[in-house]
mmCIF file of all heavy atoms in Angstrom:
data_model
loop_
_atom_site.group_PDB
_atom_site.id
_atom_site.type_symbol
_atom_site.label_atom_id
_atom_site.label_comp_id
_atom_site.label_asym_id
_atom_site.label_seq_id
_atom_site.Cartn_x
_atom_site.Cartn_y
_atom_site.Cartn_z
ATOM 1 N N LEU A 29 115.418 100.157 117.112
ATOM 2 C CA LEU A 29 113.961 100.066 117.145
ATOM 3 C C LEU A 29 113.436 98.670 116.808
ATOM 4 O O LEU A 29 113.716 98.127 115.750
ATOM 5 C CB LEU A 29 113.368 101.081 116.167
ATOM 6 C CG LEU A 29 111.843 101.106 116.053
ATOM 7 C CD1 LEU A 29 111.205 101.463 117.385
ATOM 8 C CD2 LEU A 29 111.408 102.104 114.978
ATOM 9 N N ILE A 30 112.688 98.127 117.749
ATOM 10 C CA ILE A 30 111.923 96.896 117.551
ATOM 11 C C ILE A 30 110.475 97.210 117.923
ATOM 12 O O ILE A 30 110.211 97.843 118.956
ATOM 13 C CB ILE A 30 112.451 95.752 118.431
ATOM 14 C CG1 ILE A 30 113.660 95.090 117.786
ATOM 15 C CG2 ILE A 30 111.388 94.700 118.681
ATOM 16 C CD1 ILE A 30 113.330 94.131 116.658
ATOM 17 N N LEU A 31 109.537 96.777 117.095
ATOM 18 C CA LEU A 31 108.120 96.897 117.417
ATOM 19 C C LEU A 31 107.632 95.565 117.959
ATOM 20 O O LEU A 31 108.053 94.503 117.488
ATOM 21 C CB LEU A 31 107.318 97.284 116.179
ATOM 22 C CG LEU A 31 107.701 98.612 115.514
ATOM 23 C CD1 LEU A 31 106.938 98.781 114.205
ATOM 24 C CD2 LEU A 31 107.429 99.786 116.436
ATOM 25 N N LEU A 32 106.742 95.613 118.943
ATOM 26 C CA LEU A 32 106.112 94.421 119.487
ATOM 27 C C LEU A 32 104.618 94.637 119.530
ATOM 28 O O LEU A 32 104.140 95.759 119.764
ATOM 29 C CB LEU A 32 106.613 94.096 120.898
ATOM 30 C CG LEU A 32 108.104 93.783 121.042
ATOM 31 C CD1 LEU A 32 108.851 95.008 121.562
ATOM 32 C CD2 LEU A 32 108.325 92.617 121.990
ATOM 33 N N THR A 33 103.853 93.556 119.305
ATOM 34 C CA THR A 33 102.401 93.692 119.272
ATOM 35 C C THR A 33 101.730 92.349 119.514
ATOM 36 O O THR A 33 102.351 91.286 119.366
ATOM 37 C CB THR A 33 101.944 94.265 117.910
ATOM 38 O OG1 THR A 33 100.539 94.521 117.945
ATOM 39 C CG2 THR A 33 102.235 93.280 116.786
ATOM 40 N N ASN A 34 100.441 92.405 119.862
ATOM 41 C CA ASN A 34 99.610 91.211 119.903
ATOM 42 C C ASN A 34 98.629 91.196 118.734
ATOM 43 O O ASN A 34 97.672 90.422 118.721
ATOM 44 C CB ASN A 34 98.852 91.136 121.235
ATOM 45 C CG ASN A 34 97.981 92.371 121.490
ATOM 46 O OD1 ASN A 34 98.118 93.402 120.830
ATOM 47 N ND2 ASN A 34 97.089 92.279 122.467
ATOM 48 N N ASP A 35 98.870 92.051 117.748
ATOM 49 C CA ASP A 35 98.043 92.174 116.550
ATOM 50 C C ASP A 35 98.746 91.472 115.389
ATOM 51 O O ASP A 35 99.668 92.017 114.790
ATOM 52 C CB ASP A 35 97.816 93.659 116.242
ATOM 53 C CG ASP A 35 96.893 93.893 115.052
ATOM 54 O OD1 ASP A 35 96.631 92.940 114.290
ATOM 55 O OD2 ASP A 35 96.443 95.040 114.858
ATOM 56 N N GLY A 36 98.303 90.261 115.071
ATOM 57 C CA GLY A 36 98.950 89.479 114.025
ATOM 58 C C GLY A 36 98.868 90.118 112.652
ATOM 59 O O GLY A 36 99.811 90.034 111.866
ATOM 60 N N ASP A 37 97.733 90.749 112.335
ATOM 61 C CA ASP A 37 97.587 91.389 111.032
ATOM 62 C C ASP A 37 98.565 92.552 110.880
ATOM 63 O O ASP A 37 99.153 92.759 109.814
ATOM 64 C CB ASP A 37 96.149 91.894 110.838
ATOM 65 C CG ASP A 37 95.159 90.758 110.617
ATOM 66 O OD1 ASP A 37 95.598 89.670 110.198
ATOM 67 O OD2 ASP A 37 93.962 90.959 110.865
ATOM 68 N N PHE A 38 98.758 93.315 111.948
ATOM 69 C CA PHE A 38 99.708 94.425 111.916
ATOM 70 C C PHE A 38 101.122 93.904 111.664
ATOM 71 O O PHE A 38 101.868 94.458 110.853
ATOM 72 C CB PHE A 38 99.651 95.190 113.233
ATOM 73 C CG PHE A 38 100.719 96.228 113.402
ATOM 74 C CD1 PHE A 38 100.617 97.462 112.774
ATOM 75 C CD2 PHE A 38 101.840 95.976 114.187
ATOM 76 C CE1 PHE A 38 101.608 98.432 112.934
ATOM 77 C CE2 PHE A 38 102.834 96.926 114.351
ATOM 78 C CZ PHE A 38 102.712 98.152 113.719
ATOM 79 N N ALA A 39 101.500 92.839 112.367
ATOM 80 C CA ALA A 39 102.835 92.268 112.184
ATOM 81 C C ALA A 39 103.042 91.821 110.747
ATOM 82 O O ALA A 39 104.104 92.039 110.154
ATOM 83 C CB ALA A 39 103.034 91.097 113.144
ATOM 84 N N PHE A 40 102.024 91.213 110.157
ATOM 85 C CA PHE A 40 102.114 90.766 108.766
ATOM 86 C C PHE A 40 102.280 91.945 107.813
ATOM 87 O O PHE A 40 103.137 91.936 106.922
ATOM 88 C CB PHE A 40 100.860 89.964 108.411
ATOM 89 C CG PHE A 40 100.795 89.538 106.968
ATOM 90 C CD1 PHE A 40 101.574 88.489 106.505
ATOM 91 C CD2 PHE A 40 99.953 90.191 106.082
ATOM 92 C CE1 PHE A 40 101.517 88.095 105.173
ATOM 93 C CE2 PHE A 40 99.891 89.809 104.757
ATOM 94 C CZ PHE A 40 100.675 88.763 104.302
ATOM 95 N N GLU A 41 101.476 92.985 108.015
ATOM 96 C CA GLU A 41 101.526 94.147 107.131
ATOM 97 C C GLU A 41 102.847 94.899 107.240
ATOM 98 O O GLU A 41 103.296 95.531 106.284
ATOM 99 C CB GLU A 41 100.360 95.090 107.440
ATOM 100 C CG GLU A 41 99.002 94.519 107.068
ATOM 101 C CD GLU A 41 97.852 95.366 107.575
ATOM 102 O OE1 GLU A 41 98.133 96.452 108.138
ATOM 103 O OE2 GLU A 41 96.688 94.959 107.419
ATOM 104 N N MET A 42 103.494 94.831 108.390
ATOM 105 C CA MET A 42 104.757 95.538 108.578
ATOM 106 C C MET A 42 105.949 94.765 108.014
ATOM 107 O O MET A 42 106.999 95.361 107.738
ATOM 108 C CB MET A 42 104.995 95.817 110.065
ATOM 109 C CG MET A 42 104.070 96.855 110.670
ATOM 110 S SD MET A 42 104.257 98.514 109.954
ATOM 111 C CE MET A 42 105.911 98.935 110.498
ATOM 112 N N THR A 43 105.808 93.457 107.854
ATOM 113 C CA THR A 43 106.968 92.646 107.469
ATOM 114 C C THR A 43 106.881 92.023 106.091
ATOM 115 O O THR A 43 107.920 91.683 105.517
ATOM 116 C CB THR A 43 107.191 91.521 108.507
ATOM 117 O OG1 THR A 43 105.986 90.753 108.656
ATOM 118 C CG2 THR A 43 107.581 92.107 109.851
ATOM 119 N N HIS A 44 105.691 91.863 105.535
ATOM 120 C CA HIS A 44 105.601 91.219 104.214
ATOM 121 C C HIS A 44 106.112 92.174 103.138
ATOM 122 O O HIS A 44 105.759 93.356 103.117
ATOM 123 C CB HIS A 44 104.157 90.830 103.909
ATOM 124 C CG HIS A 44 104.045 89.845 102.777
ATOM 125 N ND1 HIS A 44 104.159 90.218 101.457
ATOM 126 C CD2 HIS A 44 103.873 88.499 102.782
ATOM 127 C CE1 HIS A 44 104.034 89.154 100.692
ATOM 128 N NE2 HIS A 44 103.865 88.097 101.468
ATOM 129 N N PRO A 45 106.958 91.675 102.225
ATOM 130 C CA PRO A 45 107.572 92.547 101.207
ATOM 131 C C PRO A 45 106.575 93.334 100.355
ATOM 132 O O PRO A 45 106.890 94.436 99.901
ATOM 133 C CB PRO A 45 108.367 91.550 100.342
ATOM 134 C CG PRO A 45 108.646 90.404 101.248
ATOM 135 C CD PRO A 45 107.460 90.289 102.154
ATOM 136 N N LYS A 46 105.374 92.796 100.150
ATOM 137 C CA LYS A 46 104.432 93.481 99.259
ATOM 138 C C LYS A 46 103.953 94.821 99.820
ATOM 139 O O LYS A 46 103.441 95.663 99.081
ATOM 140 C CB LYS A 46 103.235 92.581 98.943
ATOM 141 C CG LYS A 46 102.249 92.386 100.067
ATOM 142 C CD LYS A 46 101.078 91.519 99.601
ATOM 143 C CE LYS A 46 100.029 91.335 100.682
ATOM 144 N NZ LYS A 46 98.894 90.499 100.210
ATOM 145 N N PHE A 47 104.137 95.047 101.122
ATOM 146 C CA PHE A 47 103.684 96.302 101.728
ATOM 147 C C PHE A 47 104.778 97.367 101.745
ATOM 148 O O PHE A 47 104.534 98.512 102.085
ATOM 149 C CB PHE A 47 103.164 96.053 103.150
ATOM 150 C CG PHE A 47 101.915 95.225 103.187
ATOM 151 C CD1 PHE A 47 101.971 93.896 103.582
ATOM 152 C CD2 PHE A 47 100.698 95.751 102.813
ATOM 153 C CE1 PHE A 47 100.831 93.110 103.614
ATOM 154 C CE2 PHE A 47 99.544 94.985 102.837
ATOM 155 C CZ PHE A 47 99.617 93.655 103.243
ATOM 156 N N TYR A 48 105.999 97.005 101.408
ATOM 157 C CA TYR A 48 107.116 97.933 101.199
ATOM 158 C C TYR A 48 107.271 98.924 102.351
ATOM 159 O O TYR A 48 106.981 100.101 102.230
ATOM 160 C CB TYR A 48 106.923 98.700 99.885
ATOM 161 C CG TYR A 48 108.184 99.411 99.421
ATOM 162 C CD1 TYR A 48 109.175 98.715 98.730
ATOM 163 C CD2 TYR A 48 108.379 100.760 99.686
ATOM 164 C CE1 TYR A 48 110.335 99.364 98.322
ATOM 165 C CE2 TYR A 48 109.543 101.404 99.278
ATOM 166 C CZ TYR A 48 110.504 100.702 98.599
ATOM 167 O OH TYR A 48 111.654 101.334 98.205
ATOM 168 N N LYS A 49 107.728 98.433 103.487
ATOM 169 C CA LYS A 49 107.997 99.288 104.646
ATOM 170 C C LYS A 49 109.497 99.567 104.722
ATOM 171 O O LYS A 49 110.299 98.641 104.881
ATOM 172 C CB LYS A 49 107.536 98.614 105.937
ATOM 173 C CG LYS A 49 106.053 98.264 105.972
ATOM 174 C CD LYS A 49 105.178 99.491 105.971
ATOM 175 C CE LYS A 49 103.711 99.099 106.122
ATOM 176 N NZ LYS A 49 102.821 100.267 106.078
ATOM 177 N N GLU A 50 109.889 100.821 104.603
ATOM 178 C CA GLU A 50 111.309 101.153 104.666
ATOM 179 C C GLU A 50 111.823 101.091 106.104
ATOM 180 O O GLU A 50 111.141 101.477 107.042
ATOM 181 C CB GLU A 50 111.554 102.564 104.110
ATOM 182 C CG GLU A 50 111.490 102.638 102.610
ATOM 183 C CD GLU A 50 111.986 103.973 102.079
ATOM 184 O OE1 GLU A 50 112.053 104.935 102.872
ATOM 185 O OE2 GLU A 50 112.322 104.050 100.890
ATOM 186 N N LYS A 51 113.062 100.607 106.221
ATOM 187 C CA LYS A 51 113.754 100.579 107.508
ATOM 188 C C LYS A 51 115.060 101.351 107.362
ATOM 189 O O LYS A 51 115.740 101.218 106.350
ATOM 190 C CB LYS A 51 114.025 99.141 107.935
ATOM 191 C CG LYS A 51 112.770 98.410 108.401
ATOM 192 C CD LYS A 51 112.941 96.918 108.406
ATOM 193 C CE LYS A 51 112.755 96.358 107.014
ATOM 194 N NZ LYS A 51 112.705 94.894 106.993
ATOM 195 N N VAL A 52 115.373 102.155 108.365
ATOM 196 C CA VAL A 52 116.549 103.025 108.310
ATOM 197 C C VAL A 52 117.508 102.632 109.431
ATOM 198 O O VAL A 52 117.098 102.487 110.587
ATOM 199 C CB VAL A 52 116.160 104.507 108.440
ATOM 200 C CG1 VAL A 52 117.398 105.394 108.307
ATOM 201 C CG2 VAL A 52 115.116 104.888 107.381
ATOM 202 N N TYR A 53 118.794 102.492 109.070
ATOM 203 C CA TYR A 53 119.813 102.061 110.014
ATOM 204 C C TYR A 53 121.003 103.012 109.995
ATOM 205 O O TYR A 53 121.349 103.560 108.943
ATOM 206 C CB TYR A 53 120.338 100.666 109.662
ATOM 207 C CG TYR A 53 119.304 99.576 109.639
ATOM 208 C CD1 TYR A 53 118.462 99.409 108.534
ATOM 209 C CD2 TYR A 53 119.165 98.701 110.710
ATOM 210 C CE1 TYR A 53 117.514 98.399 108.503
ATOM 211 C CE2 TYR A 53 118.222 97.685 110.691
ATOM 212 C CZ TYR A 53 117.399 97.543 109.582
ATOM 213 O OH TYR A 53 116.449 96.548 109.549
ATOM 214 N N GLU A 54 121.635 103.163 111.142
ATOM 215 C CA GLU A 54 122.944 103.794 111.222
ATOM 216 C C GLU A 54 123.979 102.676 111.249
ATOM 217 O O GLU A 54 123.897 101.763 112.075
ATOM 218 C CB GLU A 54 123.052 104.651 112.483
ATOM 219 C CG GLU A 54 122.120 105.855 112.473
ATOM 220 C CD GLU A 54 122.162 106.625 113.781
ATOM 221 O OE1 GLU A 54 122.696 106.070 114.774
ATOM 222 O OE2 GLU A 54 121.676 107.762 113.811
ATOM 223 N N VAL A 55 124.947 102.753 110.332
ATOM 224 C CA VAL A 55 125.928 101.680 110.179
ATOM 225 C C VAL A 55 127.339 102.236 110.304
ATOM 226 O O VAL A 55 127.658 103.283 109.733
ATOM 227 C CB VAL A 55 125.768 100.984 108.803
ATOM 228 C CG1 VAL A 55 126.865 99.950 108.587
ATOM 229 C CG2 VAL A 55 124.400 100.334 108.699
ATOM 230 N N GLU A 56 128.168 101.542 111.067
ATOM 231 C CA GLU A 56 129.585 101.872 111.146
ATOM 232 C C GLU A 56 130.393 100.675 110.653
ATOM 233 O O GLU A 56 130.146 99.539 111.081
ATOM 234 C CB GLU A 56 129.995 102.204 112.579
ATOM 235 C CG GLU A 56 131.470 102.560 112.718
ATOM 236 C CD GLU A 56 131.888 102.832 114.152
ATOM 237 O OE1 GLU A 56 131.002 102.951 115.029
ATOM 238 O OE2 GLU A 56 133.109 102.919 114.392
ATOM 239 N N LEU A 57 131.352 100.930 109.754
ATOM 240 C CA LEU A 57 132.186 99.874 109.193
ATOM 241 C C LEU A 57 133.565 99.875 109.841
ATOM 242 O O LEU A 57 133.984 100.865 110.445
ATOM 243 C CB LEU A 57 132.327 100.060 107.684
ATOM 244 C CG LEU A 57 131.018 100.079 106.880
ATOM 245 C CD1 LEU A 57 131.314 100.363 105.410
ATOM 246 C CD2 LEU A 57 130.259 98.777 107.038
ATOM 247 N N ASP A 58 134.275 98.770 109.668
ATOM 248 C CA ASP A 58 135.606 98.660 110.265
ATOM 249 C C ASP A 58 136.665 99.421 109.491
ATOM 250 O O ASP A 58 137.767 99.646 109.987
ATOM 251 C CB ASP A 58 136.007 97.187 110.388
ATOM 252 C CG ASP A 58 136.123 96.488 109.037
ATOM 253 O OD1 ASP A 58 135.468 96.933 108.068
ATOM 254 O OD2 ASP A 58 136.879 95.496 108.944
ATOM 255 N N ARG A 59 136.362 99.847 108.256
ATOM 256 C CA ARG A 59 137.302 100.633 107.457
ATOM 257 C C ARG A 59 136.525 101.460 106.452
ATOM 258 O O ARG A 59 135.306 101.283 106.284
ATOM 259 C CB ARG A 59 138.314 99.730 106.747
ATOM 260 C CG ARG A 59 137.712 98.740 105.755
ATOM 261 C CD ARG A 59 138.768 97.765 105.252
ATOM 262 N NE ARG A 59 138.241 96.812 104.299
ATOM 263 C CZ ARG A 59 138.188 97.010 102.980
ATOM 264 N NH1 ARG A 59 138.615 98.170 102.470
ATOM 265 N NH2 ARG A 59 137.705 96.085 102.171
ATOM 266 N N ASP A 60 137.204 102.365 105.789
ATOM 267 C CA ASP A 60 136.545 103.264 104.836
ATOM 268 C C ASP A 60 135.891 102.485 103.696
ATOM 269 O O ASP A 60 136.500 101.566 103.128
ATOM 270 C CB ASP A 60 137.553 104.254 104.249
ATOM 271 C CG ASP A 60 138.003 105.300 105.255
ATOM 272 O OD1 ASP A 60 137.471 105.294 106.382
ATOM 273 O OD2 ASP A 60 138.882 106.111 104.914
ATOM 274 N N LEU A 61 134.685 102.880 103.367
ATOM 275 C CA LEU A 61 133.969 102.264 102.255
ATOM 276 C C LEU A 61 134.397 102.918 100.946
ATOM 277 O O LEU A 61 134.306 104.139 100.787
ATOM 278 C CB LEU A 61 132.454 102.433 102.440
ATOM 279 C CG LEU A 61 131.549 101.866 101.342
ATOM 280 C CD1 LEU A 61 131.686 100.350 101.261
ATOM 281 C CD2 LEU A 61 130.090 102.254 101.596
ATOM 282 N N GLU A 62 134.865 102.101 100.019
ATOM 283 C CA GLU A 62 135.267 102.617 98.721
ATOM 284 C C GLU A 62 134.053 103.181 97.986
ATOM 285 O O GLU A 62 132.978 102.556 97.989
ATOM 286 C CB GLU A 62 135.902 101.510 97.878
ATOM 287 C CG GLU A 62 137.189 100.929 98.449
ATOM 288 C CD GLU A 62 138.327 101.923 98.392
ATOM 289 O OE1 GLU A 62 138.233 102.876 97.587
ATOM 290 O OE2 GLU A 62 139.304 101.758 99.151
#
C-alpha cells in the first residue's frame, strides 16, 4: 500500500511522527526468528 495525493496537508498529517499513524507489514525472513 502506497497513498498518493495532491493534498499537501494530508501528506503531512499522515507522515509526521506527532500524528502517530500505524503502518502494518507482512514480513518474511530468511531464517527462523529467535
Side-chain angles (χ1 to χ4, degrees):
L29 179 61
I30 278 282
L31 300 173
L32 298 100
T33 186
N34 57 346
D35 183 346
D37 288 338
F38 171 78
F40 176 76
E41 292 171 5
M42 290 296 294
T43 55
H44 196 282
K46 73 178 182 180
F47 293 105
Y48 195 82
K49 301 294 185 182
E50 284 191 342
K51 287 162 279 189
V52 183
Y53 301 80
E54 294 175 346
V55 175
E56 180 182 349
L57 302 176
D58 63 335
R59 62 188 180 89
D60 289 356
L61 179 64
E62 297 291 340

